[in-house]
Amino acid sequence: MSVAVQSERGLVDVRSQRWAPALATLCGLLLVAAAAEIVLDGAAGASPLIPKSPEIAGWLQGIGERLGYRVFLIALFVSSGAYAGLVALARRASIDRLRAGAISKRWAIVLIAALHVIVFAGPILLSTDVFSYIAYARMGVEHGLNPYLHGPLAIAGDPVSAYVGHDWERVATAYGPLYTLLSYPLAPLGVVGALWGMKLEALLASAGTLALVWRCARVRGFDPVAAILVVGANPLYVIYGLGGAHNDLIMMLAMMAAVSLTVAATPSARREAGAAAWVVAGALIKATVAVLLPFMIVSKRRLAPILGTLAAVALGALVGYAAFGIHGIDVVAALNRDAAFVSTDSFATEIAHLFGKPGVFPIDHDLLKAGLVLILVHLLWRTWRGYDWVAASGWALLAISVTSTWLLAWYILWPLPLAVVTRDRRLLAATLAVQALFVVHQITPLLAPVQ
Amino acid sequence: MTGSSAGEATLAAGEERWQRLPPWLRPRTVELKGGGNLRLIETTLLVLVGVVLATATVNDVGREVGINRRLIADLKTWRQYTGHDYHNISIDQEALGAGSDREVLCGNTSPGPPKGRTQICLAIWGAVVSGRRTVHGGWYLPPGIEDVTARRYGCFGPAGRGRCPG
């Protein structure tokens, strides 16, 4: 390398060192401003993007205007752009070790905390799911009904039933018995109290997940600041995941607790059994995370994770059966039922349209399942031959969301915490690319608004 | 690298039981170096999948924009045909055939809450010309009623033929 090229590169580095903090600040401010815009406008009242809800953010009314698709999408695109900039800066900072000047630990934590507080203070965003959670809890606690046998329509007179999404009124819960039991203490608080309880659960789960991401990144030799920024400032994570108080955040907390136990410098049988038990606990919240187990077991090739799995499954099945009967532990039936759903945002639907078909047919479900099985077998083989089981689990979760005919924004968050603590950078790139395509797919109302 | 010595070197303690397997089948605690070909194949497949997903997404956005433009023309047609500049107009994209470009738009015939007055439904299809499409007929519905054949009356035009009871 010539002296001229070296000095030119040095000059560029000095310039980027100078500009990096300013750019990072700008990206952070844009993220905060976009989140605040969505929350304040969402609090203003009736909007197609805010589910019908008891008034929990009335104190924010009068600042924003009714949230329409146009403003929401502009805010989503602005925050996505700012996030991309921030991720690039964080990655560069961690590679060049410029972080002290560009993105400090304190700055990153303050930014993520600000985003979380803004969304926590506002109304429920973009999904009625949280009202289904509350309805299932109230069915069990207030009405003595089994939420694994009845849909929320069974408590039509209950105050929460007015807020449950129309499509879910007749659908019994698909969530695990551990999640249902966790939600039961919130039922007697009334709809508003339970809503705040659910929001608090999601907030704490997110904080816990980010703390574990930090720990795993540090132990595995990655920059923890970049890792928590990639997860905690992600617009889909903040606006869709936290904004909707989705229980996926609690599932992700259990997932990261499991990973955290296995990345310890000195592996022990107890930790590995505990990690497997955490995965089972996560699956008893939302079944998807169970996909981590085979990778963990194949990677460790010891008895401890198998014993941990069996003990946790036995305990979970016992508690689930005692609380809800056989339907409470029939995870397969719930998964089969949900696998038949089709959403317009799923890649399966988009590909069907690409080939001139009106939608997804039963044969497509079978093809997608076969494709998913092939991917999982390949990943298991790779793990058997020494590939990082955490990365393999991340790929498996990404494959599940991409091949699902029922794709929602918070499903493509699942692999994100795993992607930032693995050495295979393709996983993070693929996860963010899938998220970017999801965001692009939302653009239609901006290009051709129907009024 | 396919030699068994490298494979043995990476086996963890207590894993001697796997030694009975052929080298290519034995588990490893870390991946062999030189797996570049497999990584290349995986990356190529990932890029191909990415291209398909990106193409499908862009195609779907184009398709949805086309549908929305058609619906915008339908709403303009309904408003011009009835002379009412109402905003609460329901659009049924499946009544005249799912996946077709034929729509039924229903709205009040006089000011009132959504579906709160006698409704007029128009069957609309054809090319968009000057921001509008052609009305091929329609029918009326009593207040507060969804568009079901049994409750239709006053069917008119070719599209309304045979769509009212009796």
Side-chain angles (χ1 to χ4, degrees), chain A residues 343-411:
Chain A
S343 68
T344 52
D345 279 324
S346 75
F347 289 107
T349 309
E350 291 176 15
I351 291 171
H353 291 156
L354 182 65
F355 289 109
K357 290 163 66 177
V360 179
F361 288 85
I363 181 73
D364 301 320
H365 285 276
D366 296 335
L367 287 172
L368 288 164
K369 278 180 197 163
L372 180 60
V373 168
L374 277 178
I375 294 168
L376 295 182
V377 168
H378 172 72
L379 288 168
L380 278 170
W381 170 248
R382 289 285 314 268
T383 308
W384 177 254
R385 295 290 286 166
Y387 184 63
D388 179 14
W389 79 271
V390 178
S393 302
W395 283 115
L397 287 172
L398 186 63
I400 289 172
S401 57
V402 168
T403 57
S404 169
T405 55
W406 181 250
L407 181 64
L408 301 167
W410 42 99
Y411 292 2

Side-chain angles (χ1 to χ4, degrees), chain A residues 107-293:
Chain A
W107 187 91
I109 291 172
V110 166
L111 172 66
I112 293 168
L115 291 170
H116 277 57
V117 168
I118 288 167
V119 171
F120 177 75
I124 293 292
L125 303 175
L126 299 153
S127 165
T128 59
D129 283 7
V130 70
F131 296 107
S132 295
Y133 306 162
I134 297 170
Y136 296 132
R138 291 183 63 80
M139 280 168 73
V141 176
E142 301 290 310
H143 301 275
L145 291 172
N146 186 341
Y148 290 88
L149 287 177
H150 306 279
L153 197 63
I155 54 164
D158 190 277
V160 76
S161 64
Y163 308 113
V164 174
H166 179 70
D167 292 341
W168 307 111
E169 285 174 348
R170 295 170 195 278
V171 180
T173 181
Y175 307 114
L178 180 58
Y179 179 71
T180 307
L181 288 174
L182 274 176
S183 66
Y184 270 19
L186 301 178
L189 303 178
V191 178
V192 172
L195 202 49
W196 279 113
M198 293 283 176
K199 280 170 78 74
L200 188 63
E201 270 185 10
L203 183 77
L204 294 176
S206 176
T209 302
L210 292 170
L212 292 169
V213 163
W214 179 284
R215 181 180 181 278
C216 293
R218 202 181 52 194
V219 172
R220 292 192 131 199
F222 301 107
D223 179 5
V225 174
I228 60 161
L229 270 177
V230 170
V231 180
N234 182 288
L236 296 188
Y237 183 88
V238 174
I239 293 167
Y240 285 85
L242 191 65
H246 288 285
N247 58 10
D248 300 66
L249 295 173
I250 305 175
M251 182 196 86
M252 283 155 70
L253 172 66
M255 176 177 84
M256 290 316 291
V259 174
S260 176
L261 279 174
T262 62
V263 298
T266 48
S268 75
R270 185 178 287 184
R271 281 206 191 94
E272 286 176 3
W278 268 111
V279 176
V280 174
L284 292 172
I285 287 164
K286 198 161 186 171
T288 322
V289 78
V291 80
L292 268 73
L293 275 174

